[in-house]
Amino acid sequence: MSDSVPESTRQTLDRLYEDPENRLTSLFELAPDDEQVDAQLGVFKALANEHRIRILEALKEGELCACELQVVLDAPQSTVASHLRELKDAGLVKTRRQGKWTYYRIGDTAALQLLEIAHALAAGT
């Protein structure tokens, strides 16, 4: 991997550090693995949609069935189902079947924390 480092970067590291090769090695160790990045990307992609944010905000109040979420979003069943599938695949919501009804809820408190962080970041701008 060190072969992929441009010469100009190597020269800069030579000027900044007594042991530039050691620093280069430590920098390569900072790079997250692809699997971790892909998992995080899936979560952020699921959050990158107005309808899905609205679904999560509604689910903060408790579990809802898809038909109730249709009302919340003012959207057809197919649209709601598509967004719920994205959220479920990302691990942001979980389901519970009762008879022929499927109920949705926040999948983990981490999803609530993500919403709070996004709100705090937006408020700071």
Side-chain angles (χ1 to χ4, degrees):
M1 248 208 264
S2 64
D3 295 341
S4 66
V5 177
E7 185 59 32
S8 60
T9 302
R10 285 184 176 282
Q11 291 171 355
T12 302
L13 291 174
D14 285 342
R15 286 192 301 271
L16 292 173
Y17 298 97
E18 288 183 29
D19 187 355
E21 285 302 316
N22 186 40
R23 181 60 180 158
L24 193 59
T25 300
S26 67
L27 290 171
F28 282 122
E29 290 171 0
L30 292 175
D33 66 25
D34 291 343
E35 194 173 302
Q36 177 185 357
V37 171
D38 288 344
Q40 291 171 328
L41 186 60
V43 170
F44 284 110
K45 280 183 177 180
L47 289 171
N49 179 280
E50 176 185 346
H51 289 303
R52 294 192 284 268
I53 296 290
R54 290 182 188 281
I55 288 170
L56 291 173
E57 288 289 342
L59 292 176
K60 283 168 53 175
E61 300 302 318
E63 137 180 302
L64 297 169
C65 72
C67 63
E68 292 169 314
L69 289 165
Q70 282 180 252
V71 174
V72 170
L73 293 182
D74 189 25
Q77 184 275 335
S78 59
T79 298
V80 173
S82 172
H83 290 301
L84 286 168
R85 190 176 321 103
E86 288 280 333
L87 291 168
K88 185 177 178 188
D89 289 348
L92 295 168
V93 300
K94 292 192 176 184
T95 61
R96 175 180 67 85
R97 300 268 309 161
Q98 185 173 344
K100 65 179 187 172
W101 302 104
T102 302
Y103 291 88
Y104 296 85
R105 66 185 183 281
I106 296 289
D108 190 286
T109 56
L112 297 172
Q113 292 170 331
L114 281 171
L115 291 174
E116 290 172 15
I117 290 168
H119 181 71
L121 289 170
T125 58

